[in-house]
Amino acid sequence: MKKSLLFLAALIIFAIKGWGQPIPGNPVITINPAATTPDETTVDVDITASDFSDVGSLSLTLTYNSAALQNPTIVFLHPDLITWGTFEANLALADTITVSAMDPNLEEPYDGITLEDGDIIFTIQFEIGTITDFTSVAFYENSEGTSCEITGIA
């Protein structure tokens, strides 16, 4: 009984405090669908934002089929992320892309970013490999829930 109460108390404290600051509007990041024709050799995949207000950092992990989509490169980065100067993308692992960026100002005033709904955060270009059917780029989330995170600045 004592362990249950201790666990319940810890759960309540975690629920109230959380690990990061809540973000107003619950930001959403979307991987937009892309289509190609048989004569195309590359495809661009846009990662877009909505309800993206006062964001202080983001960390994303994406997966893809490396036989179908090859040699990913970042071909567009939103100017606000360029201004931060902290955007990093690991494109070296087959089937997995990780990206991260954060507000470089660790003291007030913070420079959180706010994007309009539908703004492109970044674009990944892939060379087209062997596609026999539909293929996808998807968010990956680990069991700890830390593969895709967005935090606020408050």
Side-chain angles (χ1 to χ4, degrees):
M1 178 72 170
K2 205 178 230 186
K3 286 183 183 178
S4 295
L5 288 175
L6 183 57
F7 176 74
L8 182 59
L11 185 60
I12 291 170
I13 290 170
F14 175 75
I16 294 170
K17 292 297 239 178
W19 288 110
Q21 297 297 324
I23 302 176
N26 297 320
V28 175
I29 297 177
T30 303
I31 302 170
N32 288 351
T36 64
T37 60
D39 60 330
E40 292 179 293
T41 59
T42 62
V43 62
D44 291 351
V45 178
D46 294 330
I47 313 302
T48 60
S50 60
D51 294 322
F52 210 79
S53 178
D54 293 329
V55 170
S57 71
L58 66 93
S59 175
L60 305 172
T61 302
L62 300 101
T63 60
Y64 64 97
N65 177 339
S66 60
L69 302 171
Q70 302 170 348
N71 302 318
T73 56
I74 304 295
V75 294
F76 172 81
L77 184 60
H78 193 282
D80 287 355
L81 289 175
I82 293 171
T83 300
W84 272 1
T86 60
F87 183 85
E88 292 187 17
N90 181 348
L91 307 167
L93 296 173
D95 299 324
T96 304
I97 296 170
T98 57
V99 298
S100 63
M102 64 176 279
D103 178 354
N105 293 327
L106 299 176
E107 298 178 11
E108 291 186 35
Y110 298 109
D111 293 328
I113 59 174
T114 298
L115 304 179
E116 297 293 322
D117 288 353
D119 275 1
I120 298 171
I121 303 170
F122 60 94
T123 300
I124 307 168
Q125 184 176 80
F126 294 93
E127 292 177 8
I128 298 172
T130 304
I131 299 178
T132 57
D133 201 352
F134 292 100
T135 191
S136 65
V137 176
F139 292 111
Y140 169 79
E141 188 56 73
N142 62 18
S143 60
E144 293 83 21
T146 58
S147 294
C148 295
E149 297 182 309
I150 304 169
T151 64
I153 61 168

